[in-house]
Structures are given as C-alpha cells and as structure tokens.
Amino acid sequence: DGGITQSPKYLFRKEGQNVTLSCEQNLNHDAMYWYRQDPGQGLRLIYYSQIVNDFQKGDIAEGYSVSREKKESFPLTVTSAQKNPTAFYLCASSITGVHNEQFFGPGTRLTVL
Amino acid sequence: DQQVKQNSPSLSVQEGRISILNCDYTNSMFDYFLWYKKYPAEGPTFLISISSIKDKNEDGRFTVFLNKSAKHLSLHIVPSQPGDSAVYFCAASSLQGAQKLVFGQGTRLTINP
C-alpha cells in the first residue's frame, strides 16, 4: 500500500526542547511539504522540498528546520526558537512538473508543556 | 495577506439537499484550484480539482465551478450525506509559485438528518 506515514500521532515535549517529527512516503514523489494547522485556521506552509538535498522556506519557517537526504523522508525539527510550537503538523507529497494534488499524511499533534 | 478566503466558517445543510461551499482568491496568477475534505485529527483528503482553463469539473456528487472574472470558486455537493460532515478547505496554486498550495481557512460542513 502506497502512502505517507507520520509518527508519532501524539507528541509531548517540555518547553525549550527540540523535537523532530517524522515523515516517510513510498509514493515515489519528488516533492514533499510540511504544513501547520492551528484551530480555526487553514494550513500554513512551513518548508517544502522539490528534490533530494534541496528545500525552501515556506510562509512560516522561523523556528523550524528540515532535511531531505532521501527521496522518501522529510523530517521536520521544531526548535526551541519556535514561539508557539503547539499545533497539528501535516506532511504531504506530490509529483512535480505538472499541477497535481498533494497527498497528506495523518498528522502529528505536538503539545509543548 | 490572505490570498485564499473562505468567508463562511460553518454551514449546516439538511441531508439530501445541496451543499454549496464558497471560496474567493485574490492572486490572478493562480491557475489550479483544489478542494480537500478533513476530519478532526486526520490529514486532508483530496476531493476534486479544476484548472483555470475550465469553468466546471464534476466527479460524482461533487462539482466545482470556477468564475475567473470574479476570482471565485464553489463546491457543490448533491445530494448531501451525513458522511459529508467535515471541514472543507479550498486551495490554489500556480506553476510560477512552484506548485505550493495556498489554503483557505476552511468551512465546517454539518449535514443534519
């Protein structure tokens, strides 16, 4: 079964700690994305990558970092510099070159205590 | 600067009737539009899309209409079913924007029996 997996589903961290959210896809998609959803708001783009070893900042990249060492994997690190890290984080992937839908993972709910 | 807007936070429709969800955009460079459905604590699921060269696209109970001059699109669901109760997001992209999706804030649709 092809798809996108995110782990864990729920994550709790103490304030001041960095935390890394996992995102893996086996759809053979070149592009991968990280979004954040807050209550009553749409999805906001944090970072995206259109090819391995390359990534760009989205609209709200401050306090986050990513890597893209493998086509299948696009982990997101929420650093202690992120002022409001508690949110629902969604990873997505898509093919590139033509317009196409993005496929989303199930999401990770991060709560910083 | 909200480039994609869904001005109705919620909508309540009786089962069997038509649901109409609306979306407005400001960026004239957008040339591809999508609708996603989202249940709580899950990732969005792609529903239907439309290219700017069309003004209508239909898939089963779902139809999307695009009015480029008004920068407005709408999603029609007919007949509405209880399982359609969810949050619906419209999204837009442009090839110039590296196919990044810009999301609206979402509309919560409730189908009443």
Side-chain angles (χ1 to χ4, degrees), chain A residues 5 8 23 27 29 31 38 40 51 57 59-60 67 69-71 78 81 84 91 95-96 101 103 105 110-112:
Chain A
T5 57
C23 177
L27 299 167
H29 287 167
D38 294 285
I51 198 166
K57 293 181 179 179
D59 301 318
I60 54 167
S67 63
E69 297 176 2
K70 298 187 299 181
K71 186 175 185 177
V78 185
N84 297 298
C91 179
I95 63 174
T96 56
E101 66 266 28
F103 293 84
L110 172 64
T111 302
V112 176

Side-chain angles (χ1 to χ4, degrees), chain A residues 9 25 40 56 60 62 67-69 86 89 98 102 104 107 110:
Chain A
K9 182 71 174 175
Q25 55 98 0
Q56 283 79 40
I60 54 167
E62 186 175 349
S67 63
R68 187 85 188 277
E69 297 176 2
T86 295
Y89 290 88
V98 293
Q102 292 180 14
F104 283 82
L110 172 64

